PDB file of all heavy atoms in Angstrom:
ATOM      1  N   PHE A  58      77.597  95.956 124.906  1.00 91.00           N
ATOM      2  CA  PHE A  58      77.899  97.351 124.581  1.00 91.00           C
ATOM      3  C   PHE A  58      78.042  98.161 125.889  1.00 91.00           C
ATOM      4  O   PHE A  58      78.926  99.008 125.960  1.00 91.00           O
ATOM      5  CB  PHE A  58      76.791  97.960 123.702  1.00 91.00           C
ATOM      6  CG  PHE A  58      76.988  97.698 122.245  1.00 91.00           C
ATOM      7  CD1 PHE A  58      76.369  96.625 121.615  1.00 91.00           C
ATOM      8  CD2 PHE A  58      77.783  98.543 121.479  1.00 91.00           C
ATOM      9  CE1 PHE A  58      76.545  96.392 120.248  1.00 91.00           C
ATOM     10  CE2 PHE A  58      77.960  98.315 120.107  1.00 91.00           C
ATOM     11  CZ  PHE A  58      77.368  97.206 119.519  1.00 91.00           C
ATOM     12  N   TRP A  70      81.458  96.827 139.087  1.00 87.00           N
ATOM     13  CA  TRP A  70      81.802  97.473 137.824  1.00 87.00           C
ATOM     14  C   TRP A  70      81.890  98.978 138.007  1.00 87.00           C
ATOM     15  O   TRP A  70      81.344  99.544 138.959  1.00 87.00           O
ATOM     16  CB  TRP A  70      80.744  97.163 136.736  1.00 87.00           C
ATOM     17  CG  TRP A  70      79.348  97.625 137.073  1.00 87.00           C
ATOM     18  CD1 TRP A  70      78.379  96.947 137.726  1.00 87.00           C
ATOM     19  CD2 TRP A  70      78.768  98.910 136.744  1.00 87.00           C
ATOM     20  NE1 TRP A  70      77.235  97.663 137.816  1.00 87.00           N
ATOM     21  CE2 TRP A  70      77.433  98.897 137.245  1.00 87.00           C
ATOM     22  CE3 TRP A  70      79.218 100.056 136.093  1.00 87.00           C
ATOM     23  CZ2 TRP A  70      76.575  99.971 137.098  1.00 87.00           C
ATOM     24  CZ3 TRP A  70      78.373 101.118 135.948  1.00 87.00           C
ATOM     25  CH2 TRP A  70      77.063 101.068 136.438  1.00 87.00           C
ATOM     26  N   PHE A  72      82.010 102.612 135.512  1.00 91.00           N
ATOM     27  CA  PHE A  72      81.871 103.161 134.174  1.00 91.00           C
ATOM     28  C   PHE A  72      83.076 104.008 133.821  1.00 91.00           C
ATOM     29  O   PHE A  72      83.416 104.929 134.550  1.00 91.00           O
ATOM     30  CB  PHE A  72      80.588 103.993 134.079  1.00 91.00           C
ATOM     31  CG  PHE A  72      80.276 104.489 132.660  1.00 91.00           C
ATOM     32  CD1 PHE A  72      79.666 103.650 131.769  1.00 91.00           C
ATOM     33  CD2 PHE A  72      80.635 105.757 132.284  1.00 91.00           C
ATOM     34  CE1 PHE A  72      79.388 104.068 130.502  1.00 91.00           C
ATOM     35  CE2 PHE A  72      80.359 106.207 130.997  1.00 91.00           C
ATOM     36  CZ  PHE A  72      79.727 105.360 130.111  1.00 91.00           C
ATOM     37  N   LEU A  87      97.490  94.172 117.896  1.00 84.00           N
ATOM     38  CA  LEU A  87      96.200  94.360 117.213  1.00 84.00           C
ATOM     39  C   LEU A  87      96.324  94.473 115.726  1.00 84.00           C
ATOM     40  O   LEU A  87      95.587  93.821 114.974  1.00 84.00           O
ATOM     41  CB  LEU A  87      95.472  95.553 117.775  1.00 84.00           C
ATOM     42  CG  LEU A  87      94.053  95.758 117.238  1.00 84.00           C
ATOM     43  CD1 LEU A  87      93.157  94.611 117.605  1.00 84.00           C
ATOM     44  CD2 LEU A  87      93.438  97.098 117.713  1.00 84.00           C
ATOM     45  N   THR A  94      93.729  88.060 110.533  1.00 94.00           N
ATOM     46  CA  THR A  94      92.343  87.684 110.451  1.00 94.00           C
ATOM     47  C   THR A  94      91.835  87.818 109.009  1.00 94.00           C
ATOM     48  O   THR A  94      91.146  86.952 108.487  1.00 94.00           O
ATOM     49  CB  THR A  94      91.468  88.533 111.405  1.00 94.00           C
ATOM     50  OG1 THR A  94      91.945  88.364 112.721  1.00 94.00           O
ATOM     51  CG2 THR A  94      89.996  88.139 111.298  1.00 94.00           C
ATOM     52  N   LEU A 111      84.223  72.279  92.878  1.00 96.00           N
ATOM     53  CA  LEU A 111      84.780  71.149  92.096  1.00 96.00           C
ATOM     54  C   LEU A 111      84.287  69.809  92.642  1.00 96.00           C
ATOM     55  O   LEU A 111      83.919  68.928  91.924  1.00 96.00           O
ATOM     56  CB  LEU A 111      86.306  71.220  92.089  1.00 96.00           C
ATOM     57  CG  LEU A 111      86.924  72.399  91.366  1.00 96.00           C
ATOM     58  CD1 LEU A 111      88.446  72.351  91.521  1.00 96.00           C
ATOM     59  CD2 LEU A 111      86.539  72.438  89.913  1.00 96.00           C
ATOM     60  N   LEU A 112      84.269  69.730  93.981  1.00 96.00           N
ATOM     61  CA  LEU A 112      83.770  68.445  94.608  1.00 96.00           C
ATOM     62  C   LEU A 112      82.282  68.327  94.366  1.00 96.00           C
ATOM     63  O   LEU A 112      81.788  67.191  94.202  1.00 96.00           O
ATOM     64  CB  LEU A 112      84.140  68.465  96.087  1.00 96.00           C
ATOM     65  CG  LEU A 112      85.589  68.211  96.447  1.00 96.00           C
ATOM     66  CD1 LEU A 112      85.819  68.359  97.916  1.00 96.00           C
ATOM     67  CD2 LEU A 112      86.028  66.834  95.987  1.00 96.00           C
ATOM     68  N   ARG A 121      80.091  55.849  90.504  1.00 86.00           N
ATOM     69  CA  ARG A 121      79.319  54.890  91.280  1.00 86.00           C
ATOM     70  C   ARG A 121      79.455  55.083  92.778  1.00 86.00           C
ATOM     71  O   ARG A 121      78.573  54.755  93.518  1.00 86.00           O
ATOM     72  CB  ARG A 121      79.803  53.492  90.921  1.00 86.00           C
ATOM     73  CG  ARG A 121      79.461  53.054  89.457  1.00 86.00           C
ATOM     74  CD  ARG A 121      79.903  51.656  89.226  1.00 86.00           C
ATOM     75  NE  ARG A 121      79.552  51.232  87.869  1.00 86.00           N
ATOM     76  CZ  ARG A 121      79.852  50.016  87.375  1.00 86.00           C
ATOM     77  NH1 ARG A 121      80.457  49.126  88.145  1.00 86.00           N
ATOM     78  NH2 ARG A 121      79.453  49.704  86.107  1.00 86.00           N
ATOM     79  N   THR A 134      83.361  67.657 109.099  1.00 93.00           N
ATOM     80  CA  THR A 134      82.489  68.697 109.629  1.00 93.00           C
ATOM     81  C   THR A 134      81.852  68.279 110.978  1.00 93.00           C
ATOM     82  O   THR A 134      81.592  69.134 111.803  1.00 93.00           O
ATOM     83  CB  THR A 134      81.338  69.010 108.593  1.00 93.00           C
ATOM     84  OG1 THR A 134      81.968  69.310 107.354  1.00 93.00           O
ATOM     85  CG2 THR A 134      80.525  70.209 109.076  1.00 93.00           C
ATOM     86  N   THR A 194      80.729  71.710 100.316  1.00 96.00           N
ATOM     87  CA  THR A 194      80.412  70.793  99.246  1.00 96.00           C
ATOM     88  C   THR A 194      78.943  70.382  99.270  1.00 96.00           C
ATOM     89  O   THR A 194      78.301  70.294  98.189  1.00 96.00           O
ATOM     90  CB  THR A 194      81.271  69.513  99.335  1.00 96.00           C
ATOM     91  OG1 THR A 194      82.643  69.897  99.323  1.00 96.00           O
ATOM     92  CG2 THR A 194      80.994  68.532  98.228  1.00 96.00           C
ATOM     93  N   ILE A 201      73.592  72.491  92.775  1.00 95.00           N
ATOM     94  CA  ILE A 201      73.738  71.895  91.419  1.00 95.00           C
ATOM     95  C   ILE A 201      72.530  71.003  91.096  1.00 95.00           C
ATOM     96  O   ILE A 201      72.043  71.012  89.965  1.00 95.00           O
ATOM     97  CB  ILE A 201      75.047  71.109  91.320  1.00 95.00           C
ATOM     98  CG1 ILE A 201      76.258  72.063  91.413  1.00 95.00           C
ATOM     99  CG2 ILE A 201      75.150  70.309  90.041  1.00 95.00           C
ATOM    100  CD1 ILE A 201      77.586  71.398  91.537  1.00 95.00           C
ATOM    101  N   LEU A 202      72.086  70.238  92.088  1.00 94.00           N
ATOM    102  CA  LEU A 202      70.920  69.343  91.846  1.00 94.00           C
ATOM    103  C   LEU A 202      69.640  70.113  91.590  1.00 94.00           C
ATOM    104  O   LEU A 202      68.678  69.533  91.032  1.00 94.00           O
ATOM    105  CB  LEU A 202      70.750  68.395  93.036  1.00 94.00           C
ATOM    106  CG  LEU A 202      71.863  67.339  93.204  1.00 94.00           C
ATOM    107  CD1 LEU A 202      71.615  66.479  94.445  1.00 94.00           C
ATOM    108  CD2 LEU A 202      71.970  66.432  91.977  1.00 94.00           C
ATOM    109  N   GLU A 210      69.911  69.522  78.573  1.00 90.00           N
ATOM    110  CA  GLU A 210      69.384  68.995  77.308  1.00 90.00           C
ATOM    111  C   GLU A 210      69.618  69.993  76.162  1.00 90.00           C
ATOM    112  O   GLU A 210      70.033  69.602  75.038  1.00 90.00           O
ATOM    113  CB  GLU A 210      67.914  68.696  77.438  1.00 90.00           C
ATOM    114  CG  GLU A 210      67.638  67.567  78.422  1.00 90.00           C
ATOM    115  CD  GLU A 210      66.130  67.398  78.699  1.00 90.00           C
ATOM    116  OE1 GLU A 210      65.326  68.106  78.006  1.00 90.00           O
ATOM    117  OE2 GLU A 210      65.755  66.567  79.548  1.00 90.00           O
ATOM    118  N   ALA A 211      69.401  71.275  76.420  1.00 91.00           N
ATOM    119  CA  ALA A 211      69.626  72.296  75.402  1.00 91.00           C
ATOM    120  C   ALA A 211      71.097  72.376  75.025  1.00 91.00           C
ATOM    121  O   ALA A 211      71.439  72.511  73.854  1.00 91.00           O
ATOM    122  CB  ALA A 211      69.140  73.641  75.889  1.00 91.00           C
ATOM    123  N   ASN A 225      79.115  77.341  81.565  1.00 91.00           N
ATOM    124  CA  ASN A 225      77.964  78.126  81.120  1.00 91.00           C
ATOM    125  C   ASN A 225      76.674  77.783  81.816  1.00 91.00           C
ATOM    126  O   ASN A 225      75.691  78.524  81.708  1.00 91.00           O
ATOM    127  CB  ASN A 225      77.718  77.904  79.604  1.00 91.00           C
ATOM    128  CG  ASN A 225      78.920  78.428  78.766  1.00 91.00           C
ATOM    129  OD1 ASN A 225      79.413  79.523  79.011  1.00 91.00           O
ATOM    130  ND2 ASN A 225      79.366  77.668  77.785  1.00 91.00           N
ATOM    131  N   PRO A 229      77.200  79.714  86.633  1.00 91.00           N
ATOM    132  CA  PRO A 229      76.265  80.823  86.859  1.00 91.00           C
ATOM    133  C   PRO A 229      75.006  80.421  87.608  1.00 91.00           C
ATOM    134  O   PRO A 229      74.483  81.187  88.448  1.00 91.00           O
ATOM    135  CB  PRO A 229      75.943  81.262  85.391  1.00 91.00           C
ATOM    136  CG  PRO A 229      76.218  80.101  84.539  1.00 91.00           C
ATOM    137  CD  PRO A 229      77.357  79.383  85.186  1.00 91.00           C
ATOM    138  N   PHE A 243      83.389  83.287 104.942  1.00 95.00           N
ATOM    139  CA  PHE A 243      84.068  84.549 105.257  1.00 95.00           C
ATOM    140  C   PHE A 243      83.794  84.950 106.714  1.00 95.00           C
ATOM    141  O   PHE A 243      84.721  85.342 107.456  1.00 95.00           O
ATOM    142  CB  PHE A 243      83.635  85.612 104.281  1.00 95.00           C
ATOM    143  CG  PHE A 243      84.416  86.903 104.391  1.00 95.00           C
ATOM    144  CD1 PHE A 243      85.757  86.928 104.050  1.00 95.00           C
ATOM    145  CD2 PHE A 243      83.835  88.049 104.877  1.00 95.00           C
ATOM    146  CE1 PHE A 243      86.519  88.091 104.138  1.00 95.00           C
ATOM    147  CE2 PHE A 243      84.563  89.236 104.983  1.00 95.00           C
ATOM    148  CZ  PHE A 243      85.911  89.245 104.633  1.00 95.00           C
ATOM    149  N   SER A 249      86.986  83.136 113.594  1.00 93.00           N
ATOM    150  CA  SER A 249      87.659  81.904 113.987  1.00 93.00           C
ATOM    151  C   SER A 249      88.535  82.077 115.224  1.00 93.00           C
ATOM    152  O   SER A 249      89.194  83.110 115.387  1.00 93.00           O
ATOM    153  CB  SER A 249      88.551  81.404 112.822  1.00 93.00           C
ATOM    154  OG  SER A 249      89.130  80.158 113.111  1.00 93.00           O
ATOM    155  N   GLN A 277      91.896  86.093 129.719  1.00 87.00           N
ATOM    156  CA  GLN A 277      92.817  85.327 130.561  1.00 87.00           C
ATOM    157  C   GLN A 277      93.556  86.209 131.550  1.00 87.00           C
ATOM    158  O   GLN A 277      93.826  85.802 132.677  1.00 87.00           O
ATOM    159  CB  GLN A 277      93.832  84.574 129.692  1.00 87.00           C
ATOM    160  CG  GLN A 277      93.307  83.289 129.047  1.00 87.00           C
ATOM    161  CD  GLN A 277      94.403  82.531 128.393  1.00 87.00           C
ATOM    162  OE1 GLN A 277      95.260  83.062 127.700  1.00 87.00           O
ATOM    163  NE2 GLN A 277      94.391  81.204 128.570  1.00 87.00           N
ATOM    164  N   VAL A 294      83.350  94.933 113.165  1.00 90.00           N
ATOM    165  CA  VAL A 294      84.151  94.610 111.988  1.00 90.00           C
ATOM    166  C   VAL A 294      83.467  93.577 111.066  1.00 90.00           C
ATOM    167  O   VAL A 294      83.429  93.746 109.864  1.00 90.00           O
ATOM    168  CB  VAL A 294      85.550  94.100 112.434  1.00 90.00           C
ATOM    169  CG1 VAL A 294      86.315  93.519 111.219  1.00 90.00           C
ATOM    170  CG2 VAL A 294      86.365  95.256 113.020  1.00 90.00           C
TER     171      VAL A 294
END
Side-chain angles (χ1 to χ4, degrees):
F58 275 93
W70 61 271
F72 186 82
L87 184 63
T94 302
L111 294 177
L112 287 173
R121 294 182 178 180
T134 307
T194 303
I201 294 171
L202 291 178
E210 294 173 4
N225 296 317
F243 188 68
S249 184
Q277 280 189 318
V294 168

